[in-house]
Structure formats: structure tokens, C-alpha cells
Amino acid sequence: MKKVLLGFAIAALFASCSKDEVTPVSYGNIMVVHTSPDAPNVDLLLDNNKINQTALSFPNNTGYLQIPSGTRNFKVNVAGTTTTVINADLPIEKDKSQTLFAIDSVSILSTLLLNDDLTAPAMGKSHVRFVHLSPDAPAVDIALVGGAVVFPNVAFKGNTAFTPLDAGTYNLEVRVAGTSTVALTLPPITVENGRIYTVFAKGFLGGSGTQALDAAIIVNK
């Protein structure tokens, strides 16, 4: 994947410079995550060049891709077609890491771009953030089962900062914000010393099967 992106960057560089000039190319990192519960598998295009070898399916991600920094055009196409469902110009920051979420239901697809703070956690700690990406779910609290709230009052498209947590295994539940009503009990989540994670709510509140309300975890670093 990175070889394909590097080839794209080199081609773009030589197209804009004479053979006697060499303009340094700076890079940023971006991860693309498919979080639209009812959308099909997709292809990703960077400045009209396809960058994923295998179609991206819900709720998976590409991992970080290194691409030239600056304003870049991203398209999301229905896999194997030229049907574009998202077309967005996005700022890719030099030497920074970002995550691009394809969000909402298929009829109103949009994007959410977040900056990723990958500063190393302190000894014995991990960093965890929460992103609410369930289109029809209300604002939620993420809490220890039967215990304290860890991430309070996060609405759809909302996100928290990366928060230090002791390394270990956590039993978490999703509550309707400000109440004791449990909407979802999550499987135990283990966070390791020195690692960085994104936990995101996915699916529909009344969905079933793969589209049911649930949560997923991304290892950012």
C-alpha cells in the first residue's frame, strides 16, 4: 500500500517540477475508517488515484497511510464502480496523524476528520478516546459497569480527547447520557501499557446483525 502511495507522490512531484529542480515532499498520515452501517464496501481515491487494494467494508479501517501533505481530494466510491458517494477536499498536515471516518447512513454519507495525538503515554498508562458514530443513538455516557462514568455526554459525531487510563482490562457499558439506563454492555476491553486506542460506537440503535448498536476498537499506536 505504501509503495503505491509513494509512487503517486513521486509522479506528482515530477509533474510539477522541472528535472533540474527538486522540491522536498512532506508527508502526513491518515487512516480511513468505514463506519456507515448500511453502506456497501468502498474504494478510496486520493486525487483520483485508488489507494486501497481491497475494498473497505464496515466497520474496518485502512491503518495509517503516508501521503503528501497539503489539501488533497478524497473520493469514496462504491467498490468496483465509478459511483462516488463522498467527495471532499481535506487538509493533510505535515508530520501529523489524522483519522477520516466515513459516517452516517448511506443516504446521507459524510466525513469526520480528527487529529490524532499519538504522544506516548506515561509508564503504566494507555491513552483512549471515544467517538460516537451511531447515527440514530442519543448522547451517551461511557461508564464502568455499575460504576463511574469515564467519558460523559458524547453525542453523535462527538469525540473525546485521548485520555490516560491505567493499563488493564475494563468492563464498560454505554448509558443514555445523564441517566442510569444501559443501552449496551460492551465486551471486556484490554488496553496495554504504552498503547493508544480509539473506541467508537457503531451501528443503529434498532439495528440487527452487523448493523446492530455496538462498539469497535482501533489501535492507533
Side-chain angles (χ1 to χ4, degrees):
M1 179 71 72
K2 289 187 177 179
K3 289 180 179 179
V4 172
L5 292 172
L6 181 59
F8 165 80
I10 293 172
L13 174 64
F14 278 92
S16 61
C17 302
S18 74
K19 63 183 179 180
D20 294 322
E21 292 181 16
V22 177
T23 301
V25 178
S26 60
Y27 294 89
N29 298 305
I30 192 164
M31 180 190 303
V32 183
V33 190
H34 184 330
T35 69
S36 174
D38 58 347
N41 296 354
V42 298
D43 292 331
L44 308 172
L45 285 78
L46 170 67
D47 295 339
N48 291 316
N49 293 276
K50 184 179 173 182
I51 59 173
N52 59 320
Q53 296 176 339
T54 303
L56 185 62
S57 59
F58 171 78
N60 296 309
N61 68 81
T62 62
Y64 283 113
L65 307 173
Q66 186 180 68
I67 64 173
S69 58
T71 300
R72 312 239 69 95
N73 178 255
F74 276 84
K75 291 186 177 70
V76 177
N77 286 2
V78 176
T81 77
T82 58
T83 302
T84 298
V85 292
I86 294 176
N87 186 345
D89 292 324
L90 301 175
I92 305 304
E93 298 187 35
K94 177 183 176 183
D95 299 328
K96 300 293 185 180
S97 295
Q98 299 167 284
T99 300
L100 176 66
F101 297 92
I103 67 171
D104 223 321
S105 57
V106 67
S107 61
I108 49 174
L109 279 173
S110 60
T111 60
L112 177 66
L113 182 66
L114 298 182
N115 292 322
D116 300 342
D117 181 357
L118 302 186
T119 303
M123 182 61 65
K125 299 287 187 178
S126 62
H127 287 175
V128 182
R129 73 174 170 190
F130 174 70
V131 188
H132 186 334
L133 298 174
S134 174
D136 61 346
V140 298
D141 295 333
I142 306 300
L144 299 174
V145 171
V149 172
V150 180
F151 301 116
N153 195 27
V154 185
F156 177 54
K157 302 183 186 180
N159 63 92
T160 70
F162 283 101
T163 301
L165 294 178
D166 291 335
T169 299
Y170 291 85
N171 295 307
L172 300 175
E173 59 190 16
V174 180
R175 302 175 188 162
V176 177
T179 77
S180 59
T181 302
V182 177
L184 176 68
T185 300
L186 303 178
I189 294 175
T190 299
V191 295
E192 299 179 7
N193 176 40
R195 305 303 293 268
I196 300 173
Y197 303 90
T198 296
V199 178
F200 64 94
K202 66 184 182 71
F204 293 121
L205 186 60
S208 60
T210 59
Q211 296 184 18
L213 179 64
D214 202 349
I217 189 166
I218 296 168
V219 180
N220 294 89
K221 186 177 179 181

PDB file of all heavy atoms in Angstrom, residues 117-138:
ATOM      1  N   ASP A 117      -3.583  12.620  18.431  1.00  0.00           N
ATOM      2  CA  ASP A 117      -2.439  12.914  19.299  1.00  0.00           C
ATOM      3  C   ASP A 117      -1.807  11.586  19.703  1.00  0.00           C
ATOM      4  O   ASP A 117      -2.335  10.862  20.550  1.00  0.00           O
ATOM      5  CB  ASP A 117      -2.898  13.695  20.527  1.00  0.00           C
ATOM      6  CG  ASP A 117      -1.744  14.053  21.457  1.00  0.00           C
ATOM      7  OD1 ASP A 117      -0.600  13.643  21.180  1.00  0.00           O
ATOM      8  OD2 ASP A 117      -1.999  14.727  22.473  1.00  0.00           O
ATOM      9  N   LEU A 118      -0.673  11.277  19.094  1.00  0.00           N
ATOM     10  CA  LEU A 118      -0.015   9.997  19.344  1.00  0.00           C
ATOM     11  C   LEU A 118       1.166  10.140  20.305  1.00  0.00           C
ATOM     12  O   LEU A 118       2.099   9.320  20.300  1.00  0.00           O
ATOM     13  CB  LEU A 118       0.432   9.374  18.019  1.00  0.00           C
ATOM     14  CG  LEU A 118      -0.696   9.134  16.997  1.00  0.00           C
ATOM     15  CD1 LEU A 118      -0.165   8.391  15.787  1.00  0.00           C
ATOM     16  CD2 LEU A 118      -1.861   8.379  17.628  1.00  0.00           C
ATOM     17  N   THR A 119       1.108  11.163  21.161  1.00  0.00           N
ATOM     18  CA  THR A 119       2.114  11.320  22.200  1.00  0.00           C
ATOM     19  C   THR A 119       2.142  10.075  23.082  1.00  0.00           C
ATOM     20  O   THR A 119       1.095   9.580  23.516  1.00  0.00           O
ATOM     21  CB  THR A 119       1.810  12.553  23.065  1.00  0.00           C
ATOM     22  OG1 THR A 119       1.741  13.707  22.238  1.00  0.00           O
ATOM     23  CG2 THR A 119       2.876  12.745  24.131  1.00  0.00           C
ATOM     24  N   ALA A 120       3.329   9.564  23.362  1.00  0.00           N
ATOM     25  CA  ALA A 120       3.456   8.322  24.123  1.00  0.00           C
ATOM     26  C   ALA A 120       2.870   8.477  25.524  1.00  0.00           C
ATOM     27  O   ALA A 120       3.121   9.475  26.210  1.00  0.00           O
ATOM     28  CB  ALA A 120       4.920   7.912  24.212  1.00  0.00           C
ATOM     29  N   PRO A 121       2.083   7.506  25.973  1.00  0.00           N
ATOM     30  CA  PRO A 121       1.553   7.552  27.344  1.00  0.00           C
ATOM     31  C   PRO A 121       2.658   7.406  28.384  1.00  0.00           C
ATOM     32  O   PRO A 121       3.746   6.897  28.100  1.00  0.00           O
ATOM     33  CB  PRO A 121       0.612   6.331  27.390  1.00  0.00           C
ATOM     34  CG  PRO A 121       0.320   6.004  25.958  1.00  0.00           C
ATOM     35  CD  PRO A 121       1.552   6.368  25.198  1.00  0.00           C
ATOM     36  N   ALA A 122       2.369   7.836  29.599  1.00  0.00           N
ATOM     37  CA  ALA A 122       3.293   7.639  30.719  1.00  0.00           C
ATOM     38  C   ALA A 122       3.394   6.156  31.050  1.00  0.00           C
ATOM     39  O   ALA A 122       2.533   5.347  30.666  1.00  0.00           O
ATOM     40  CB  ALA A 122       2.803   8.433  31.927  1.00  0.00           C
ATOM     41  N   MET A 123       4.429   5.786  31.767  1.00  0.00           N
ATOM     42  CA  MET A 123       4.628   4.389  32.147  1.00  0.00           C
ATOM     43  C   MET A 123       3.409   3.841  32.893  1.00  0.00           C
ATOM     44  O   MET A 123       2.877   4.480  33.791  1.00  0.00           O
ATOM     45  CB  MET A 123       5.871   4.272  33.032  1.00  0.00           C
ATOM     46  CG  MET A 123       6.186   2.836  33.450  1.00  0.00           C
ATOM     47  SD  MET A 123       6.522   1.756  32.020  1.00  0.00           S
ATOM     48  CE  MET A 123       8.032   2.512  31.387  1.00  0.00           C
ATOM     49  N   GLY A 124       2.960   2.678  32.447  1.00  0.00           N
ATOM     50  CA  GLY A 124       1.819   2.033  33.080  1.00  0.00           C
ATOM     51  C   GLY A 124       0.473   2.520  32.584  1.00  0.00           C
ATOM     52  O   GLY A 124      -0.569   2.047  33.051  1.00  0.00           O
ATOM     53  N   LYS A 125       0.487   3.454  31.646  1.00  0.00           N
ATOM     54  CA  LYS A 125      -0.750   4.038  31.140  1.00  0.00           C
ATOM     55  C   LYS A 125      -0.961   3.691  29.667  1.00  0.00           C
ATOM     56  O   LYS A 125      -0.028   3.378  28.920  1.00  0.00           O
ATOM     57  CB  LYS A 125      -0.707   5.570  31.271  1.00  0.00           C
ATOM     58  CG  LYS A 125      -0.569   6.094  32.696  1.00  0.00           C
ATOM     59  CD  LYS A 125      -1.864   5.931  33.468  1.00  0.00           C
ATOM     60  CE  LYS A 125      -1.762   6.613  34.830  1.00  0.00           C
ATOM     61  NZ  LYS A 125      -3.025   6.509  35.591  1.00  0.00           N
ATOM     62  N   SER A 126      -2.213   3.781  29.243  1.00  0.00           N
ATOM     63  CA  SER A 126      -2.579   3.808  27.832  1.00  0.00           C
ATOM     64  C   SER A 126      -3.387   5.078  27.602  1.00  0.00           C
ATOM     65  O   SER A 126      -3.820   5.720  28.558  1.00  0.00           O
ATOM     66  CB  SER A 126      -3.412   2.579  27.456  1.00  0.00           C
ATOM     67  OG  SER A 126      -4.627   2.585  28.197  1.00  0.00           O
ATOM     68  N   HIS A 127      -3.557   5.463  26.341  1.00  0.00           N
ATOM     69  CA  HIS A 127      -4.414   6.593  26.001  1.00  0.00           C
ATOM     70  C   HIS A 127      -5.608   6.067  25.212  1.00  0.00           C
ATOM     71  O   HIS A 127      -5.440   5.297  24.261  1.00  0.00           O
ATOM     72  CB  HIS A 127      -3.663   7.630  25.166  1.00  0.00           C
ATOM     73  CG  HIS A 127      -2.674   8.429  25.945  1.00  0.00           C
ATOM     74  ND1 HIS A 127      -1.817   9.338  25.364  1.00  0.00           N
ATOM     75  CD2 HIS A 127      -2.399   8.480  27.284  1.00  0.00           C
ATOM     76  CE1 HIS A 127      -1.055   9.889  26.298  1.00  0.00           C
ATOM     77  NE2 HIS A 127      -1.388   9.386  27.460  1.00  0.00           N
ATOM     78  N   VAL A 128      -6.800   6.501  25.588  1.00  0.00           N
ATOM     79  CA  VAL A 128      -8.034   6.030  24.951  1.00  0.00           C
ATOM     80  C   VAL A 128      -8.939   7.221  24.690  1.00  0.00           C
ATOM     81  O   VAL A 128      -9.082   8.101  25.549  1.00  0.00           O
ATOM     82  CB  VAL A 128      -8.782   5.016  25.853  1.00  0.00           C
ATOM     83  CG1 VAL A 128     -10.042   4.510  25.157  1.00  0.00           C
ATOM     84  CG2 VAL A 128      -7.877   3.843  26.229  1.00  0.00           C
ATOM     85  N   ARG A 129      -9.538   7.267  23.508  1.00  0.00           N
ATOM     86  CA  ARG A 129     -10.587   8.256  23.235  1.00  0.00           C
ATOM     87  C   ARG A 129     -11.832   7.525  22.764  1.00  0.00           C
ATOM     88  O   ARG A 129     -11.779   6.373  22.310  1.00  0.00           O
ATOM     89  CB  ARG A 129     -10.150   9.278  22.178  1.00  0.00           C
ATOM     90  CG  ARG A 129     -10.088   8.734  20.762  1.00  0.00           C
ATOM     91  CD  ARG A 129      -9.781   9.820  19.744  1.00  0.00           C
ATOM     92  NE  ARG A 129      -9.497   9.218  18.433  1.00  0.00           N
ATOM     93  CZ  ARG A 129      -9.009   9.888  17.398  1.00  0.00           C
ATOM     94  NH1 ARG A 129      -8.752  11.183  17.510  1.00  0.00           N
ATOM     95  NH2 ARG A 129      -8.776   9.270  16.254  1.00  0.00           N
ATOM     96  N   PHE A 130     -12.970   8.214  22.848  1.00  0.00           N
ATOM     97  CA  PHE A 130     -14.244   7.654  22.408  1.00  0.00           C
ATOM     98  C   PHE A 130     -14.840   8.559  21.346  1.00  0.00           C
ATOM     99  O   PHE A 130     -14.831   9.787  21.478  1.00  0.00           O
ATOM    100  CB  PHE A 130     -15.215   7.523  23.586  1.00  0.00           C
ATOM    101  CG  PHE A 130     -16.593   7.076  23.171  1.00  0.00           C
ATOM    102  CD1 PHE A 130     -16.813   5.780  22.727  1.00  0.00           C
ATOM    103  CD2 PHE A 130     -17.654   7.960  23.192  1.00  0.00           C
ATOM    104  CE1 PHE A 130     -18.076   5.365  22.321  1.00  0.00           C
ATOM    105  CE2 PHE A 130     -18.932   7.559  22.813  1.00  0.00           C
ATOM    106  CZ  PHE A 130     -19.141   6.259  22.368  1.00  0.00           C
ATOM    107  N   VAL A 131     -15.379   7.943  20.282  1.00  0.00           N
ATOM    108  CA  VAL A 131     -16.044   8.673  19.206  1.00  0.00           C
ATOM    109  C   VAL A 131     -17.434   8.064  19.019  1.00  0.00           C
ATOM    110  O   VAL A 131     -17.564   6.836  18.880  1.00  0.00           O
ATOM    111  CB  VAL A 131     -15.248   8.596  17.884  1.00  0.00           C
ATOM    112  CG1 VAL A 131     -15.871   9.518  16.839  1.00  0.00           C
ATOM    113  CG2 VAL A 131     -13.783   8.953  18.098  1.00  0.00           C
ATOM    114  N   HIS A 132     -18.455   8.898  19.017  1.00  0.00           N
ATOM    115  CA  HIS A 132     -19.849   8.443  18.878  1.00  0.00           C
ATOM    116  C   HIS A 132     -20.219   8.476  17.395  1.00  0.00           C
ATOM    117  O   HIS A 132     -20.392   9.546  16.818  1.00  0.00           O
ATOM    118  CB  HIS A 132     -20.758   9.372  19.673  1.00  0.00           C
ATOM    119  CG  HIS A 132     -22.202   8.942  19.736  1.00  0.00           C
ATOM    120  ND1 HIS A 132     -22.811   8.171  18.783  1.00  0.00           N
ATOM    121  CD2 HIS A 132     -23.169   9.207  20.674  1.00  0.00           C
ATOM    122  CE1 HIS A 132     -24.078   7.971  19.092  1.00  0.00           C
ATOM    123  NE2 HIS A 132     -24.313   8.588  20.251  1.00  0.00           N
ATOM    124  N   LEU A 133     -20.383   7.288  16.800  1.00  0.00           N
ATOM    125  CA  LEU A 133     -20.668   7.202  15.362  1.00  0.00           C
ATOM    126  C   LEU A 133     -21.880   6.324  15.065  1.00  0.00           C
ATOM    127  O   LEU A 133     -21.998   5.773  13.962  1.00  0.00           O
ATOM    128  CB  LEU A 133     -19.425   6.693  14.610  1.00  0.00           C
ATOM    129  CG  LEU A 133     -18.201   7.615  14.717  1.00  0.00           C
ATOM    130  CD1 LEU A 133     -16.978   6.982  14.081  1.00  0.00           C
ATOM    131  CD2 LEU A 133     -18.489   8.976  14.089  1.00  0.00           C
ATOM    132  N   SER A 134     -22.786   6.219  16.032  1.00  0.00           N
ATOM    133  CA  SER A 134     -24.055   5.530  15.787  1.00  0.00           C
ATOM    134  C   SER A 134     -25.093   6.574  15.398  1.00  0.00           C
ATOM    135  O   SER A 134     -25.491   7.404  16.230  1.00  0.00           O
ATOM    136  CB  SER A 134     -24.508   4.789  17.045  1.00  0.00           C
ATOM    137  OG  SER A 134     -25.794   4.238  16.858  1.00  0.00           O
ATOM    138  N   PRO A 135     -25.544   6.580  14.120  1.00  0.00           N
ATOM    139  CA  PRO A 135     -26.326   7.719  13.611  1.00  0.00           C
ATOM    140  C   PRO A 135     -27.614   8.025  14.364  1.00  0.00           C
ATOM    141  O   PRO A 135     -27.994   9.191  14.469  1.00  0.00           O
ATOM    142  CB  PRO A 135     -26.623   7.304  12.155  1.00  0.00           C
ATOM    143  CG  PRO A 135     -25.546   6.331  11.799  1.00  0.00           C
ATOM    144  CD  PRO A 135     -25.259   5.590  13.063  1.00  0.00           C
ATOM    145  N   ASP A 136     -28.299   6.980  14.878  1.00  0.00           N
ATOM    146  CA  ASP A 136     -29.608   7.249  15.480  1.00  0.00           C
ATOM    147  C   ASP A 136     -29.619   7.060  16.994  1.00  0.00           C
ATOM    148  O   ASP A 136     -30.680   7.055  17.615  1.00  0.00           O
ATOM    149  CB  ASP A 136     -30.687   6.367  14.837  1.00  0.00           C
ATOM    150  CG  ASP A 136     -30.437   4.873  15.029  1.00  0.00           C
ATOM    151  OD1 ASP A 136     -29.313   4.507  15.425  1.00  0.00           O
ATOM    152  OD2 ASP A 136     -31.364   4.076  14.781  1.00  0.00           O
ATOM    153  N   ALA A 137     -28.454   6.932  17.587  1.00  0.00           N
ATOM    154  CA  ALA A 137     -28.388   6.779  19.045  1.00  0.00           C
ATOM    155  C   ALA A 137     -28.311   8.150  19.709  1.00  0.00           C
ATOM    156  O   ALA A 137     -27.713   9.086  19.165  1.00  0.00           O
ATOM    157  CB  ALA A 137     -27.184   5.926  19.435  1.00  0.00           C
ATOM    158  N   PRO A 138     -28.888   8.302  20.898  1.00  0.00           N
ATOM    159  CA  PRO A 138     -28.818   9.585  21.612  1.00  0.00           C
ATOM    160  C   PRO A 138     -27.417   9.807  22.170  1.00  0.00           C
ATOM    161  O   PRO A 138     -26.531   8.948  22.051  1.00  0.00           O
ATOM    162  CB  PRO A 138     -29.834   9.403  22.739  1.00  0.00           C
ATOM    163  CG  PRO A 138     -29.818   7.926  23.007  1.00  0.00           C
ATOM    164  CD  PRO A 138     -29.621   7.275  21.656  1.00  0.00           C
TER     165      PRO A 138
END
